[in-house]
Every structure is written in structure tokens, then in C-alpha cells.
Amino acid sequence: MKALVLIAHGSKKEKSNQEFRDLIDEIRELNSKKYEKIESSFLEFVEPSIEEIVKKLATQNIKSITFYPFFLNSGKHVSIDIPNIVVNLKNTYPDIDFKLLQHFGLSKKIASIISEEI
């Protein structure tokens, strides 16, 4: 079984966190055939953390987890923190295949989306 875990920074403002969860609900509907599980996780201020989600998925017969960082820029979280978390998870769960995708900000579609909106 395959899972997708989307990662957001997390905010002290619940509205911001809920906007991310709502987006994940939409992504879940659009990708239910590609992934058996699609989950949201946060780096700071709110749960669940990446580690908490992986612990949960590990008990559900998940054999492959793909991470998608929902970040615009390649700051410290994208370039250091998230890769380090994934390395630690690989050591903790050697039977699960982990894949870290490039962050959202590198998508070639962002300029088109903004152009449509403006």
C-alpha cells in the first residue's frame, strides 16, 4: 500500500492550518486511486507531525510513503529539516520505502496559476 504525506509549516492561527487540511481533502479526492492513504502533517505549532503520521501509517500495512513539502521556497525547513526527518524515518522504519519530492515552489505550473488569477 502507498501513502502520500503532505507537509506544511504549521501556524499558530487555526484558520491557516484548516486551509491546508481542506486542500488535503481535495487532493485526497483527486488522487484516491494513486494512493491508499493521503495525510497532512506539520513541522511546527500543530499536530500531527511527520513522525506521528508515519508511526500511524506504519501500523496500517503501508509499504511506501511519498512526502510532498508544501513550501514555496527552499529555506531551512525544505533544505535541511525535512530531509533530516526523512533520513531518521528511514532508519526507524527500514521496511518502508520513503521518497521525498521537490517542494511545491519548484512546480512549473505556479506561474500559470498566478497568471490565470490575475
Side-chain angles (χ1 to χ4, degrees):
M1 289 178 57
K2 296 187 328 184
L4 173 67
V5 176
L6 291 98
I7 306 164
H9 184 274
S11 174
K12 293 179 183 178
K13 295 185 179 188
E14 181 53 30
K15 182 180 180 193
S16 176
N17 299 322
Q18 190 56 49
E19 288 172 354
F20 179 65
R21 289 185 195 104
D22 292 344
L23 174 63
I24 301 314
D25 288 342
E26 291 180 47
I27 292 170
R28 195 177 285 122
E29 286 181 29
L30 294 170
N31 293 279
S32 62
K33 293 180 182 175
K34 192 171 185 180
Y35 297 97
E36 285 79 15
K37 298 282 182 174
I38 298 177
E39 302 285 346
S40 60
S41 67
F42 300 91
L43 280 180
E44 296 180 356
F45 306 119
V46 66
E47 295 179 347
S49 68
I50 300 167
E51 294 90 345
E52 289 168 332
I53 286 295
V54 170
K55 183 177 181 180
K56 176 182 135 182
L57 291 171
T59 67
Q60 298 177 0
N61 201 31
I62 297 295
K63 300 297 181 201
S64 173
I65 299 175
T66 300
F67 297 103
Y68 188 78
F70 188 68
F71 289 76
L72 281 178
N73 304 92
S74 58
K76 180 179 179 280
H77 289 315
V78 167
S79 60
I80 297 171
D81 297 337
I82 295 172
N84 286 341
I85 290 169
V86 173
V87 167
N88 290 335
L89 289 168
K90 286 179 180 181
N91 292 329
T92 304
Y93 302 96
D95 295 335
I96 298 176
D97 178 45
F98 293 99
K99 180 179 181 182
L100 177 58
L101 300 176
Q102 292 184 326
H103 64 283
F104 172 74
L106 289 181
S107 171
K108 302 294 183 209
K109 297 179 181 181
I110 294 175
S112 296
I113 293 168
I114 293 172
S115 295
E116 278 184 38
E117 295 291 321
I118 60 173

